[in-house]
Amino acid sequence: MTLKIGVIGTGAIGQDHARRITQSLSGATVVAVTDIHPQQAQEVVQKLGLNATVYANGHDLIAAADVEAVLVTSWGPTHEEFVLAAIARGKPVFCEKPLAVTAEGCMRIVQAEVEHGKRLVQVGFMRPYDKGYRALKNVIDSDQIGAPLIVHCAHRNPSVGDGYTTDMAITDTVIHEIDVLRWLLDDDYASVQVVYPKKTRNASSHLADPQIILMETAKGVRIDVEVFVNCQYGYDIQCEVVGETGIARLPEPSAVPMRSQARNSVAILTDWKQRFIDAYDVELQGFIDAVRQGEVGGPSAWDGYAAAVTADACVLAQKTGDIVPVRMAPRPAFYGR
Ligand SMILES: NC(=O)C1=CN([C@@H]2O[C@H](COP(=O)(O)OP(=O)(O)OC[C@H]3O[C@@H](n4cnc5c(N)ncnc54)[C@H](O)[C@@H]3O)[C@@H](O)[C@H]2O)C=CC1
Ligand SMILES: O=C1[C@H](O)[C@H](O)[C@@H](O)[C@H](O)[C@H]1O
């Protein structure tokens, strides 16, 4: 049977996910949407030609009899309440990052899911589904460069709005590196530090930009993540792993090399929706297929908690300049080793 999905939050990624469910993926249909801007929700129904009901709020949507699974694509601070409400009703829920805006909030979700007794939560960390990251992990796991020693990353956005704050560079942006590097290295974090290079003139007065996040993993790998959200030139994600016997880099997204107007050039993407468009498709198709088989897989609530604990430590390190330890609660057996 086709999976009936309700979408909470019809903004940028909510619309993109509703579009892919409707036009690109198989096995599911959007039957319900809600947004605090109801007119916008109605417009999305019309634009995408959805046979969907617009609900007054997320809780009514979750409670609706014909909603079999929930997509949470609202603002981060609202995620915890909606994920907990879905768990309370035993409904599978795909929650965009962050799972919750604090580690404590993520732990409440972990505890609720463990108490429920069966996985219901997939978190929208899409990079482990990206072909480039999977190829990079294959190089590492097949011992082609020896044990990883150092990882250099860059997460660059062309620009951000005035509402973007220094801590969002961690909780909204570097949270992707925090998650994907745990998976890439099969490791967890021991400590973090944040340093501030010279500030760009292209950042709002309140925003520290760029920033460099320094992390040490439990296995001793040293990581530096440059986060530069007003780089002007494009949306540029870089990851280089330095191993004992070689170096491996995240492949660049494919683009046509051009020689024109006396220049030799390759275009750089400017939009995160395009950079990881295939990964979003794969992660969400995986959610649909799993739920239709009575399961839920992918990045778990524990992964959401681990990312949040590390992000909390990074935000503290932003404020203090100290090297901040990352202290995680014991991992429940429910989530595997
Ligand atoms: N995985 C990824 O690469 C990405 C993930 N995200 C995450 O997705 C979430 C949404 O981000 P965007 O779509 O960029 O933001 P957005 O601001 O474009 O959309 C969020 C929508 O949620 C609605 N909303 C807020 N509170 C609500 C509530 N209580 N009930 C119903 N709707 C509510 C807003 O009205 C807005 O339409 C964020 O948590 C963000 O971190 C965003 C972009 C990329
Ligand atoms: O989740 C996202 C996007 O996927 C981009 O990777 C980030 O740069 C952005 O800050 C965040 O909203």
Side-chain angles (χ1 to χ4, degrees), residues 204-234:
S204 303
S205 57
H206 64 272
L207 175 61
D209 187 40
Q211 301 178 46
I212 300 174
I213 319 309
L214 302 172
M215 301 191 282
E216 180 176 12
T217 74
K219 294 176 183 173
V221 177
R222 288 283 179 165
I223 300 165
D224 55 87
V225 182
E226 171 213 318
V227 53
F228 187 7
V229 294
N230 289 286
C231 77
Q232 307 299 296
Y233 72 87

Side-chain angles (χ1 to χ4, degrees), residues 1 6 9 77 105 110 140 165 170 207 212 266 301 313 316:
M1 284 295 285
V110 163
I140 295 168
T165 53
I170 304 295
L207 175 61
I212 300 174
V266 177
L316 178 58

Side-chain angles (χ1 to χ4, degrees), residues 12-240:
I13 201 158
Q15 293 183 37
D16 206 33
H17 284 341
R19 173 199 58 75
R20 62 174 37 91
I21 291 167
T22 307
Q23 298 175 2
S24 308
L25 307 184
S26 62
T29 183
V30 176
V31 296
V33 297
T34 187
D35 198 286
I36 52 173
H37 301 304
Q39 182 56 36
Q40 174 195 283
Q42 190 57 55
E43 287 165 0
V44 170
V45 169
Q46 284 154 0
K47 180 171 74 174
L48 294 176
L50 303 178
N51 183 16
T53 304
V54 178
Y55 283 83
N57 59 65
H59 294 287
D60 288 354
L61 178 145
I62 291 165
D66 67 338
V67 170
E68 297 171 329
V70 180
L71 244 59
V72 177
T73 50
S74 46
W75 294 330
T78 68
H79 291 184
E80 179 184 350
E81 69 172 285
F82 293 137
V83 172
L84 288 174
I87 292 171
R89 289 190 177 269
K91 293 192 178 181
V93 51
F94 178 97
C95 181
E96 265 303 343
K97 40 66 66 176
L99 177 63
V101 292
T102 63
E104 291 76 14
C106 291
M107 183 51 79
R108 285 189 285 271
I109 292 169
V110 163
Q111 289 165 344
E113 188 176 44
V114 170
E115 194 173 316
H116 174 76
K118 188 171 180 238
R119 269 200 62 185
L120 289 173
V121 181
Q122 178 174 336
V123 184
F125 288 126
M126 76 290 174
R127 292 200 184 172
Y129 296 90
D130 173 65
K131 283 183 188 148
Y133 273 106
R134 297 184 77 84
L136 182 57
K137 182 166 177 64
N138 183 50
V139 165
I140 295 168
D141 290 355
S142 55
D143 198 22
Q144 295 182 51
I145 59 169
L149 307 174
I150 306 167
V151 183
H152 305 298
C153 296
H155 187 150
R156 301 181 182 125
N157 283 341
S159 63
V160 292
D162 284 344
Y164 189 97
T165 53
T166 295
D167 60 318
M168 285 175 67
I170 304 295
T171 60
D172 204 57
T173 302
V174 170
I175 195 92
H176 285 293
E177 276 76 17
I178 289 171
D179 171 70
V180 75
L181 295 179
R182 285 185 64 240
W183 167 82
L184 191 69
L185 302 171
D186 189 24
D187 207 342
D188 267 312
Y189 299 107
S191 67
V192 298
Q193 186 181 9
V194 179
V195 296
Y196 300 103
K198 177 179 169 64
K199 176 173 170 163
T200 174
R201 288 170 299 171
N202 297 311
S204 303
S205 57
H206 64 272
L207 175 61
D209 187 40
Q211 301 178 46
I212 300 174
I213 319 309
L214 302 172
M215 301 191 282
E216 180 176 12
T217 74
K219 294 176 183 173
V221 177
R222 288 283 179 165
I223 300 165
D224 55 87
V225 182
E226 171 213 318
V227 53
F228 187 7
V229 294
N230 289 286
C231 77
Q232 307 299 296
Y233 72 87
Y235 179 69
D236 190 12
I237 302 300
Q238 299 290 327
C239 182
E240 177 182 274

